[in-house]
């Protein structure tokens, strides 16, 4: 979220949502041109007295009609976009079924059930008095956690909508980020650089630790949950020993805020995005200094989501979702796009969709099932055309040049 959210805090974005491109619209436009040809151009029957020629022309028109009908009847491969009245701060997929939670700037959580045919609002939770900051499901998908600028942390039963736990004045500063550890434990980070560990079964925090001077932008841990790694607005990566409840290491100070993180290669590699568009790669447990760095994009990277052990999708200020193969590093192309900056990314429980929310007050879904086979067909020894790959549209993009993409892989 970073600087983008902080600029939009307390106000809604008034940008209009981008309508999805589709091949249907292009074909339909061609059909209208056929139907509204200039009167000076004779019809098939007028132009040709020869009956065979007229029949051929009619056959061509029939083919156009068939193409239009076939495109209209084509099954969608992803849910339709969701557009809301209020600025969207965060999104989170349920880990067990086709539900997505949308947190907005007025303090509400909207729960949508999605399919390829529709995205249906099933519940609205009016939880917070001020702008939401984060919404997350626990691993069971039964409990939904939310944080807000009102310094309140809430745990809500997803099925009944009843409140399970409420921590008022949970931090001295507004809570910025929340991470679930299991069905009862979670950690939070605030605008002042303090993190806290919580257990739903206890009335207060288990421990509190000051790790920096600026907001905690993201937090991550692996399956062992021994170390919690925190990215900060002060450009420092801090790690905490959760078992010992103490600071483990702090990194060198980078030249921009650290905004987002992801784990790869069986949780042995940590990737960190920055406000200047750089990506830093760390070995797990070696958080003091990165082992490699890349230029991800020219604008700020605000969010990322790992989609395979090798591939990450990032986005941010330019509104473009980019896929990058990290080992070795190679740009793959554009997964999707928004007209305005992207605030958040998440991946569905079955790995089929990525959802992205932007300052258009919309959520878009991108079918990324093709990534399952992408690793096996990429020839990493093939010389890369970086300029082409940076602007190349992958099959999920609403702008189609997928054939060009696949032809360049082998």
């Amino acid at each position: 979220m970073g600087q983008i959210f902080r600029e939009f805090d307390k106000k809604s974005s008034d940008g209009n949502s981008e309508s999805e491109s589709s091949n249907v619209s292009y074909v339909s436009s061609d059909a209208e041109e056929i139907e509204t040809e200039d009167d000076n151009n004779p019809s098939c029957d007028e132009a040709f007295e020869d009956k065979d020629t007229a029949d051929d022309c009619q056959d061509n028109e029939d083919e156009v009609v068939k193409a239009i009908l076939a495109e209209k009847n084509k099954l969608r491969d992803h849910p339709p976009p969701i557009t809301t009245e209020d600025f969207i701060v965060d999104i989170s997929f349920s880990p067990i079924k086709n539900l997505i939670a949308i947190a907005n700037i007025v303090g509400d959580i909207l729960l949508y059930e999605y399919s390829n045919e529709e995205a249906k609002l099933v519940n609205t939770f009016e939880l917070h008095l001020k702008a939401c900051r984060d919404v997350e499901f626990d691993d069971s998908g039964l409990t939904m956690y939310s944080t807000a600028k009102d310094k309140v942390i809430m745990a809500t039963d997803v099925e009944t909508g009843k409140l399970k736990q409420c921590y008022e004045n949970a931090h001295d500063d507004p809570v910025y980020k929340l991470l679930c550890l299991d069905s009862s434990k979670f950690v939070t980070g605030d605008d002042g650089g303090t993190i806290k560990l919580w257990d739903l079964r206890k009335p207060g925090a288990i421990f509190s630790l000051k790790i920096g001077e600026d907001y905690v932008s993201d937090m991550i841990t692996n399956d062992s949950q021994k170390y919690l790694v925190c990215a900060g607005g002060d450009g420092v990566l801090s790690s905490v020993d959760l078992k010992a409840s103490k600071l483990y290491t702090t990194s060198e100070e980078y030249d921009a805020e650290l905004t987002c993180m992801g784990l790869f290669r069986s949780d042995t590699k940590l990737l960190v995005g920055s406000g200047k568009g750089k990506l830093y790669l760390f070995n797990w447990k070696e958080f003091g200094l990165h082992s490699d760095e890349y230029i991800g994009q020219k604008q700020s990277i605000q969010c990322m989501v790992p989609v395979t052990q090798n591939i990450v999708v990032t986005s941010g200020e330019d509104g473009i979702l980019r896929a990058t193969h990290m080992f070795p590093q190679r740009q793959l192309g554009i997964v999707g796009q928004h007209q305005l900056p992207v605030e958040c990314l998440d991946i569905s429980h079955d790995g089929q969709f990525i959802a992205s929310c932007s300052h258009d007050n919309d959520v878009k879904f991108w079918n990324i099932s093709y990534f399952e086979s992408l690793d096996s067909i990429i020839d990493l020894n093939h010389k890369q055309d970086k300029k082409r790959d940076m602007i190349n549209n992958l099959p999920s993009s609403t702008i189609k040049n997928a054939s060009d993409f696949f032809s360049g892989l082998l």
Side-chain angles (χ1 to χ4, degrees):
M1 292 180 279
Q3 293 177 346
I4 295 179
F5 174 80
R6 299 169 77 84
E7 291 171 2
F8 276 80
D9 216 357
K10 293 187 177 180
K11 62 181 180 179
S12 300
S13 171
D14 57 1
N16 294 323
S17 63
E18 176 190 5
S19 60
E20 272 198 308
S21 302
S22 69
N23 292 339
V24 178
S25 61
Y26 299 134
V27 177
S28 299
S29 298
D30 293 340
E32 289 175 4
E33 290 178 8
I34 293 171
E35 294 173 358
T36 59
E37 285 181 320
D38 193 290
D39 292 339
N40 293 327
N41 295 329
S43 67
C44 291
D45 293 335
E46 293 172 337
F48 307 104
E49 294 182 357
D50 183 86
K51 184 176 183 301
D52 291 339
T53 307
D55 288 344
D56 290 341
C57 189
Q58 184 63 48
D59 288 342
N60 290 338
E61 290 181 353
D62 289 344
E63 289 302 316
V64 173
V65 172
K66 288 178 182 178
I68 295 171
L69 292 176
E71 194 65 35
K72 286 183 176 180
N73 293 329
K74 189 176 180 180
L75 294 176
R76 295 180 58 90
D77 68 349
H78 61 279
I82 298 170
T83 302
T84 66
E85 295 181 359
D86 301 295
F87 181 77
I88 299 171
V89 177
D90 194 29
I91 55 176
S92 181
F93 276 109
S94 166
I96 59 171
K97 53 186 175 181
N98 293 354
L99 289 176
I100 186 169
I102 300 174
N104 64 29
I105 204 165
V106 298
D108 299 338
I109 309 291
L110 311 177
L111 195 62
Y112 280 82
E113 184 177 20
Y114 62 87
S115 66
N116 285 347
E117 290 72 38
E118 65 174 351
K120 180 175 65 175
L121 180 65
V122 294
N123 213 336
T124 300
F125 303 102
E126 297 178 354
L127 298 175
H128 297 277
L129 299 177
K130 293 185 179 180
C132 287
R133 289 292 186 83
D134 200 354
V135 58
E136 302 291 339
F137 290 92
D138 69 356
D139 290 341
S140 69
L142 302 177
T143 303
M144 181 182 70
Y145 295 91
S146 59
T147 67
K149 197 176 180 182
D150 57 12
K151 305 177 185 178
V152 175
I153 302 170
M154 291 193 179
T156 306
D157 187 288
V158 176
E159 296 296 329
T160 65
K162 293 182 178 180
L163 196 62
K164 287 186 172 182
Q165 183 64 273
C166 175
Y167 298 102
E168 296 184 353
N169 296 314
H171 283 248
D172 293 334
D173 296 292
V175 180
Y176 193 89
K177 189 66 181 177
L178 184 148
L179 175 68
C180 293
L181 300 178
D182 56 32
S183 59
S184 60
K185 292 180 180 179
F186 61 97
V187 287
T188 52
D190 65 24
D191 282 355
T194 296
I195 65 162
K196 291 187 178 185
L197 175 65
W198 306 82
D199 189 323
L200 281 182
R201 297 162 294 189
K202 298 184 178 181
I206 297 175
F207 79 83
S208 176
L209 188 64
K210 177 82 169 176
I211 62 169
E213 299 302 324
D214 210 332
Y215 70 101
V216 179
S217 60
D218 200 6
M219 298 182 292
I220 200 166
T221 187
N222 61 4
D223 288 339
S224 69
Q225 295 187 1
K226 177 173 174 57
Y227 300 110
L228 174 75
V229 184
C230 307
D234 54 5
V236 175
L237 192 71
S238 304
S239 57
V240 176
D241 187 330
L242 290 175
K243 308 298 184 183
S245 304
K246 66 179 183 179
L247 192 65
Y248 177 63
T249 60
T250 56
S251 73
E252 65 174 63
E253 185 175 341
Y254 291 89
D255 61 355
E257 61 179 343
L258 302 179
T259 56
C260 52
M261 297 184 289
L263 286 172
F264 299 87
R265 291 293 180 95
S266 301
D267 296 350
T268 62
K269 301 291 183 179
L270 173 67
L271 189 66
V272 182
S274 78
K276 286 194 174 180
K278 286 185 178 181
L279 293 167
Y280 300 101
L281 187 66
F282 293 80
N283 294 317
W284 189 254
K285 294 196 295 186
E286 299 174 6
F287 309 119
L289 183 64
H290 62 276
S291 60
D292 212 340
E293 68 177 79
Y294 319 98
I295 302 296
Q297 59 191 52
K298 292 181 179 180
Q299 296 83 5
S300 172
I301 297 173
Q302 293 300 127
C303 45
M304 73 168 65
V305 58
V307 294
T308 72
Q309 291 291 336
N310 298 306
I311 297 173
V312 63
V313 174
T314 60
S315 192
E317 287 186 354
D318 62 2
I320 297 174
L321 283 67
R322 291 183 175 88
T324 305
H325 193 286
M326 297 307 304
F327 309 102
Q329 197 268 349
R330 174 171 179 173
Q331 296 290 341
L332 299 180
I334 296 173
V335 172
Q337 54 282 310
H338 290 261
Q339 287 184 337
L340 295 179
V342 170
E343 190 72 20
C344 182
L345 295 172
D346 200 12
I347 189 167
S348 61
H349 66 95
D350 55 5
Q352 187 174 9
F353 305 115
I354 281 180
S356 55
C357 64
S358 82
H359 293 182
D360 274 334
N361 298 356
D362 65 349
V363 175
K364 288 185 177 183
F365 297 84
W366 315 95
N367 189 312
I368 57 163
S369 55
Y370 59 89
F371 277 121
E372 294 178 5
S373 59
L374 200 55
D375 269 339
S376 62
I377 66 172
I378 294 178
D379 181 4
L380 294 175
N381 294 318
H382 184 76
K383 186 176 180 181
Q384 181 188 13
D385 184 341
K386 292 184 179 180
K387 185 176 180 181
R388 184 206 65 188
D389 289 347
M390 283 291 288
I391 61 173
N392 202 31
N393 293 297
L394 303 187
S396 55
S397 174
T398 55
I399 302 171
K400 305 295 183 182
N401 68 345
S403 60
D404 294 341
F405 169 71
F406 284 112
S407 66
L409 288 178
L410 303 174

